[in-house]
Amino acid sequence: MSSAVLSRAARPALRAGPAASIRPIVPSAATFATLREIEGRLKSIRNIEKITKTMKIVASTKLNRAQRAMTESRSYGKTSNTVFDNAETKALDGEGKKTLLIVASSDKGLCGGIHSGLSKAVRRKLVENPDTQIVCIGEKCKAQLGRSSGKSIVLSFANIGKDIPTFAEAQAIADQIAQLPNSYENMEIIYNSFISAVSYEPRSIEAFSEEAIANSPNFAAFEIDDEVLSNLREYALANSLYWALAEGHACEQSARRNAMDNASKNAGDMINKFQILFNRTRQAVITGELVEIITGAAASEA
Amino acid sequence: MATLQLEIVTPEKKAYSAEIDSVVLPGVEGELGILPNHVAVMTAIKPGELKIFKSGKEESLAVGEGFVEVKDNKVSVLTDAAINIEDIDEGKVEEAMKRAQDAIEKAKAGEHDEAEVAALSAIITRSAAHLHLKRRKRG
């Protein structure tokens, strides 16, 4: 009976402390149980911190490799696209032109707003041009876009972007896209462009159709066969895809590194707060027990 | 004398970048020699040997499939692979070629996917080109 009263008396001090700002831990339960609960939570936060720390280290090492691959693929993709820049190739526009959006995301989450940023960019494009069809690379964007615009998705790929993308993967995807029943006048690849280790933004690369390439104003300067043209188009699509995938992969790793870094820091903060709460609660319990013993002894003496 | 700027890029790295005198490419329609002031050309290349002539010296690279763009004394070669002939490991190439051949036979016996067979044939063509180059170099 006395224990209940005393423990209630000990609590106001706790409530005023940092504990109040964290989270009320089932306040009605007995003090012993609360202590246990705090201990359990502390342990699980410590475990989470370990996991996020490890994931951060893994992402950092992957990021180094991904960044290297990205730089190389960038020079490859840019060289491939200078042809079109020089030729001043422009996307054909006008009524009834079909556009295909290729979204280069990946399968894994826990990397900040990488995938939702892409999905948002895609949705904006869809609002402008509702007939646009979508090819999703990676499960994440497929799930996000599937909810809002599932009908537009014509093709999707999974299992890409676990590791550094290879050119063979990009080629396989380009092949599948070329086999789609509809022919598209314009193709656009949406990917996360790597600006720095902490920032990225969704951008798009145009992949031109044969018609668009043949119609470009400065293309007549080249000696070129029709067959080469169609090969060139497929090859350029694979190049651009590879570039987009490699850059997206680097962004994902850097975003994951940052996300996990923040998560580890937050876990550290929480551990500190819970440690203080734990110590105070333990002290309160000890004080309570002492008072009980002393009152008990005093009562039996009297 | 005018020179050419040659750039060979593969998905993995920039394989070559320098001022050169001339280059011979394995075009799909036969060997193609490019000298300075060449007219603008865009063509596909097939797996084979790419010869670079630079201040009297000759260098050879084994290249895979890809594209070449020639414009304003700049030659850009985009290809899926570019290897120094000295770096070709004959044993490995032979092994890869054999594996691809076996896979094709197996695929043809059962149900097969045209694309898969085409990819395997591409491996064989490339390996054969590499082997040919390597053996000829050794003489």
Side-chain angles (χ1 to χ4, degrees):
Chain A
M1 152 86 208
S2 60
S3 120
V5 174
L6 278 167
S7 72
R8 213 176 294 142
R11 279 179 163 279
L14 270 180
R15 287 225 181 87
S21 62
I22 303 172
R23 194 208 112 172
I25 300 171
V26 202
S28 61
T31 326
F32 276 117
T34 329
L35 199 57
R36 271 272 169 77
E37 270 173 25
I38 297 172
E39 206 179 356
R41 268 185 74 88
L42 249 178
K43 224 178 233 172
S44 71
I45 297 169
R46 283 219 175 92
N47 284 338
I48 292 169
E49 193 199 22
K50 265 182 216 157
I51 294 169
T52 53
K53 264 191 182 157
T54 321
M55 284 181 79
K56 184 190 148 194
I57 293 164
V58 171
S60 311
T61 32
K62 278 193 177 171
L63 174 64
N64 281 339
R65 283 170 49 221
Q67 245 177 309
R68 222 171 301 142
M70 179 195 71
T71 330
E72 302 299 352
S73 76
R74 223 185 228 173
S75 71
Y76 190 67
K78 283 203 174 135
T79 317
S80 152
N81 285 341
T82 38
V83 183
F84 303 124
D85 284 348
N86 290 340
E88 287 176 22
T89 308
K90 279 192 194 74
L92 298 171
D93 45 38
E95 287 296 303
K97 301 286 186 198
K98 274 206 169 246
T99 308
L100 185 71
L101 278 180
I102 304 166
V103 189
S105 84
S106 79
D107 293 349
K108 292 263 177 69
L110 289 180
C111 48
I114 279 271
H115 302 305
S116 44
L118 272 185
S119 301
K120 257 183 225 156
V122 172
R123 281 192 205 114
R124 266 201 301 276
K125 298 240 176 207
L126 276 178
V127 171
E128 279 169 30
N129 198 347
D131 288 339
T132 307
Q133 296 194 309
I134 304 173
V135 172
C136 277
I137 305 173
E139 291 287 334
K140 279 282 161 185
C141 270
K142 185 188 165 199
Q144 287 169 359
L145 291 169
R147 282 195 296 269
S148 61
S149 33
K151 277 185 204 142
S152 309
I153 299 179
V154 284
L155 194 62
S156 73
F157 301 89
N159 262 340
I160 287 168
K162 270 189 187 151
D163 213 332
I164 292 170
T166 62
F167 190 64
E169 278 172 352
Q171 258 176 332
I173 295 171
D175 263 0
Q176 289 291 323
I177 290 173
Q179 279 170 20
L180 282 175
N182 288 323
S183 70
Y184 299 93
E185 272 79 15
N186 297 314
M187 284 191 202
E188 228 175 288
I189 304 168
I190 298 201
Y191 70 106
N192 276 308
S193 151
F194 189 94
I195 299 170
S196 73
V198 285
S199 68
Y200 51 87
E201 102 186 340
R203 278 197 197 154
S204 61
I205 314 175
E206 299 255 19
F208 301 104
S209 63
E210 254 171 79
E211 218 184 326
I213 297 175
N215 283 342
S216 28
N218 293 340
F219 219 71
F222 290 107
E223 287 177 6
I224 194 161
D225 297 339
D226 285 350
E227 201 184 326
V228 173
L229 200 63
S230 93
N231 281 337
L232 172 71
R233 188 204 149 199
E234 273 179 39
Y235 197 70
L237 178 62
N239 288 347
S240 302
L241 267 175
Y242 176 68
W243 175 19
L245 284 174
E247 194 141 341
H249 182 71
C251 282
E252 188 189 322
Q253 294 305 343
S254 89
R256 178 167 295 126
R257 204 194 76 94
N258 291 340
M260 288 303 117
D261 193 29
N262 288 340
S264 305
K265 271 187 201 143
N266 288 344
D269 287 352
M270 272 180 96
I271 288 173
N272 285 343
K273 283 180 183 167
F274 270 87
Q275 191 68 58
I276 291 170
L277 176 65
F278 176 77
N279 290 346
R280 288 199 179 175
T281 317
R282 191 188 53 195
Q283 198 53 53
V285 170
I286 293 169
T287 317
E289 279 172 356
L290 272 177
V291 171
E292 234 170 284
I293 292 167
I294 293 165
T295 29
S300 64
E301 261 171 38
Chain B
M1 198 183 114
T3 51
L4 278 168
Q5 169 74 25
L6 174 68
E7 259 178 33
I8 304 176
V9 273
T10 68
E12 287 83 29
K13 60 172 196 255
K14 197 167 238 177
Y16 193 93
S17 174
E19 292 280 331
I20 56 152
D21 296 327
S22 73
V23 58
V24 177
L25 306 159
V28 275
E29 285 160 18
E31 289 218 321
L32 185 68
I34 310 280
L35 287 164
N37 301 321
H38 197 282
V39 69
V41 164
M42 174 105 210
T43 188
I45 55 168
K46 61 181 183 193
E49 182 186 20
L50 186 147
K51 276 185 273 189
I52 301 165
F53 296 92
K54 188 183 169 188
S55 46
K57 272 184 239 147
E58 189 187 330
E59 246 183 279
S60 281
L61 289 172
V63 291
E65 282 172 7
F67 278 89
V68 180
E69 183 205 354
V70 183
K71 198 172 189 255
D72 304 331
N73 278 338
K74 188 167 185 276
V75 183
S76 311
V77 181
L78 285 161
T79 173
D80 53 6
I83 319 166
N84 263 327
I85 289 183
E86 286 77 34
D87 294 344
I88 296 175
D89 183 338
E90 217 173 311
K92 263 192 195 155
V93 177
E94 258 173 7
E95 199 195 303
M97 198 163 150
K98 199 166 173 309
R99 261 208 317 270
Q101 265 159 353
D102 288 350
I104 281 197
E105 294 217 339
K106 217 181 274 169
K108 276 189 178 154
E111 274 192 28
H112 63 277
D113 184 0
E114 287 300 327
E116 202 181 311
V117 174
L120 289 167
S121 325
I123 294 176
I124 293 175
T125 327
R126 196 170 57 215
S127 314
H130 284 179
L131 275 184
H132 176 70
L133 283 176
K134 179 83 180 175
R135 293 204 172 124
R136 208 196 47 202
K137 265 277 139 41
R138 210 177 34 202

